[in-house]
Amino acid sequence: LGVMVPAGTILDTAIERKADMVGLSGLITPSLDEMVMVAREMTRRGMTMPLLIGGATTSRQHTAVKIAPEYEPPVVHVLDASRVVDVVSSLIGDRRREFDRQNRADQEEIRQRYKARTEKPLLSYEAAFANRLKYDWDEHVIATPSFIGRRYLDDVPLATIAKYIDWTYFFSAWELKGRYPQILDHPQYGAAARELFEHAQAILKEIIDSRLLRARGVYAFWPALADGDDIVVFRDESRQEVFARLPMLRQQEIQPDERANLSLADYVAPRGSGVPDYVGMFAVTAGIGADDLVRRYEADHDDYRAIIVKALADRLAEAFATRLHAVVREDWGFGKKATLEEMFAEKHRSIRPAYGYPACPDHSGKFELFRLLDAERQGIALTDHAAMTPPASVSGLYFSHPHARYFNVGRIGRDQAESYARRKGVAIEEVERWLSSNLAYEPAEFALKC
């Protein structure tokens, strides 16, 4: 039916067409709440067809803990599109009872593990902040970018970007697990991997030679400082005019080995340190033209090539982000140039966390990010639910701190959610919707609906 379709339309259509099952796909965090509401509505209507759950933001855990309890018929998490045929066959074939029994048993085990983990106490937000990263800013070696403001990247050659593709993730999208190029010689599915790789290379060559896709982007550096768990962004080096405040979240779970409770704000020099620090940001796409190309193949009933194009556009967007990160490191003057292998493994100074991912899980942060970047000028936009269009797009922040690393914020308490809402200037209910998967408590609104 397409994207962002109301629950009523989905279920009305399923009934009208006498569908055997309903499938939902979620790309962004708000989709997770919507799936729960669809499951409740299916229960209210007395529907009995299986419900399939998939998409980038979904997981077996969320399906088992939040969705399955809302709907008695089978609710199955499908890892990716390549697994749908097997799951559907199992649900309508001779082994459907055994498949359903095993799926329910697995989900109950997931719920029990989740319950045991979430019952562990959190630090108060105040205590978590007190246990922030300890760093001697007096000894900090300042990294000063070569320019302040935005740089726009128009029609970047795909041949240049393609050199930065990490093919390992291309194969994993097809459920072919293993590192590239070793996967091509895998004793079990090396032959399938080689055939897929050959087809992908041919289509990629056609895309590059005929310029069927276009890549555009923007990146920027701004003066910045940390004010508590907010990153304050200034418009210029005078540091007089505040351009934006970017609220960040902090780990509240007790960390092992007396480690710090991290926030991305820890990686920016705090107010009063006297260190003139900076933050970077970016948005890139390699998906301009992808929809038209996919529709062309689908019109020819060539779903195989259409799926490969989508996968290649995603890989090119990630490759663009990797390539740009190398450029940013040079612009920031980090010294030693990283090899491609080091870039893939992220074994270098600086990180590029993305909104909606573990270190800053609130997708709504992209709205301010896109404003600061003027990303729409480059043909990259956001839906009301903060999904990027074209879908083959990547965005995020850059941090130059020598100790910066990726981490998972994990569960947060109501005290931090309330602080975060105040700092963002929004209602607590809005924060709870965007961060539903991170809450260590049941929001009042959710509890009332239950």
Side-chain angles (χ1 to χ4, degrees):
L1 295 179
V3 297
M4 298 181 67
V5 179
T9 302
I10 295 171
L11 302 185
D12 289 345
T13 305
I15 294 169
E16 176 190 337
R17 300 294 181 90
K18 297 181 172 60
D20 292 297
M21 55 197 69
V22 170
L24 305 176
S25 180
L27 295 176
I28 52 178
T29 304
S31 302
L32 301 178
D33 288 338
E34 187 67 17
M35 289 174 173
V36 175
M37 299 306 296
V38 171
R40 289 180 187 155
E41 179 62 14
M42 293 177 76
T43 296
R44 190 188 69 80
R45 294 186 181 205
M47 300 175 73
T48 59
M49 62 189 70
L51 175 61
L52 307 185
I53 302 295
T57 58
T58 63
S59 65
R60 293 177 68 224
Q61 176 179 291
H62 183 269
T63 302
V65 174
K66 296 293 186 181
I67 304 176
E70 302 291 340
Y71 187 57
E72 178 57 28
V75 178
V76 184
H77 180 255
V78 185
L79 188 62
D80 61 54
S82 68
R83 300 292 299 276
V84 170
V85 174
D86 289 341
V87 171
V88 170
S89 298
S90 298
L91 284 169
I92 65 177
D94 295 336
R95 60 181 296 265
R96 60 184 179 276
R97 286 190 176 85
E98 173 58 23
F99 179 84
D100 184 29
R101 185 199 66 76
Q102 186 61 55
N103 181 60
R104 291 177 190 274
D106 291 344
Q107 289 180 342
E108 180 57 29
E109 182 181 346
I110 291 170
R111 282 191 287 270
Q112 292 303 319
R113 289 202 306 266
Y114 175 80
K115 182 180 179 182
R117 188 169 67 253
T118 55
E119 286 178 345
K120 293 180 180 178
L122 300 181
L123 294 174
S124 69
Y125 180 42
E126 182 181 2
F129 182 79
N131 192 44
R132 62 192 178 277
L133 179 69
K134 302 301 188 293
Y135 183 73
D136 187 352
W137 288 97
D138 289 336
E139 299 296 323
H140 182 69
V141 178
I142 299 170
T144 304
S146 59
F147 68 95
I148 296 298
R150 310 178 186 95
R151 278 191 179 172
Y152 299 101
L153 306 169
D154 297 316
D155 294 324
V156 179
L158 292 179
T160 300
I161 293 172
K163 297 174 184 177
Y164 289 80
I165 292 178
D166 187 344
W167 288 99
T168 295
Y169 292 100
F170 175 82
F171 289 109
S172 66
W174 294 77
E175 279 296 287
L176 296 173
K177 304 296 185 184
R179 295 201 61 80
Y180 172 82
Q182 292 87 345
I183 192 173
L184 300 178
D185 296 317
H186 192 280
Q188 182 178 348
Y189 38 74
R194 289 192 296 274
E195 182 181 23
L196 176 62
F197 189 57
E198 181 180 335
H199 293 162
Q201 290 294 316
I203 294 172
L204 179 60
K205 185 176 187 304
E206 179 185 358
I207 287 172
I208 292 173
D209 291 347
S210 301
R211 301 190 66 203
L212 299 177
L213 301 181
R214 294 168 58 204
R216 306 183 73 187
V218 54
Y219 69 110
F221 296 108
W222 307 104
L225 60 78
D227 182 13
D229 278 344
D230 289 353
I231 297 173
V232 182
V233 178
F234 297 96
R235 189 177 291 275
D236 55 43
E237 286 281 24
S238 70
R239 300 174 186 258
Q240 297 299 310
E241 182 181 353
V242 174
F243 202 8
R245 292 184 75 96
L246 308 179
M248 293 296 158
L249 293 163
R250 182 172 296 279
Q251 295 172 320
Q252 277 188 263
E253 295 182 5
I254 298 173
Q255 300 301 304
D257 304 323
E258 299 183 347
R259 295 176 192 167
N261 289 76
L262 295 174
S263 166
L264 289 175
D266 292 343
Y267 300 142
V268 179
R271 185 185 297 276
S273 66
V275 175
D277 212 349
Y278 304 83
V279 67
M281 52 193 64
F282 74 99
V284 298
T285 185
I288 298 174
D291 286 346
D292 291 339
L293 186 56
V294 167
R295 279 194 291 267
R296 193 178 88 191
Y297 286 134
E298 290 177 339
D300 292 337
H301 306 288
D302 193 345
D303 290 341
Y304 177 66
R305 290 174 73 88
I307 293 172
I308 287 182
V309 167
K310 292 178 184 178
L312 285 175
D314 288 341
R315 288 301 97 215
L316 284 167
E318 290 289 351
F320 192 175
T322 301
R323 164 61 184 159
L324 182 56
H325 198 175
V327 172
V328 164
R329 284 168 44 79
E330 293 177 10
D331 287 339
W332 224 330
F334 288 155
K336 177 179 174 290
K337 189 173 183 179
T339 66
L340 189 57
E341 289 72 23
E342 288 172 332
M343 295 295 292
F344 285 162
E346 295 170 333
K347 293 181 177 179
H348 52 67
R349 177 175 171 177
S350 84
I351 58 173
R352 52 178 178 94
Y355 280 111
Y357 285 80
C360 44
D362 181 3
H363 277 276
S364 72
K366 283 183 281 195
F367 293 115
E368 187 71 337
L369 175 72
F370 272 48
R371 181 185 74 84
L372 294 172
L373 288 169
D374 191 20
E376 289 196 19
R377 178 187 185 278
Q378 297 303 87
I380 315 169
L382 296 171
T383 68
D384 290 343
H385 290 81
M388 290 182 286
T389 60
S393 301
V394 181
S395 65
L397 301 166
Y398 294 119
F399 294 90
S400 69
H401 195 290
H403 292 176
R405 63 176 178 84
Y406 297 99
F407 59 89
N408 187 355
V409 164
R411 297 181 303 134
I412 66 170
R414 189 186 299 273
D415 54 354
Q416 180 166 191
E418 290 173 347
S419 168
Y420 188 67
R422 286 194 300 271
R423 290 184 284 127
K424 284 179 70 72
V426 300
I428 182 66
E429 291 79 11
E430 181 175 342
V431 163
E432 289 171 341
R433 283 195 296 273
W434 286 102
L435 292 173
S436 60
S437 297
N438 293 84
L439 301 180
Y441 65 95
E442 288 289 7
E445 182 183 31
F446 186 88
L448 288 173
K449 289 177 180 175
C450 291

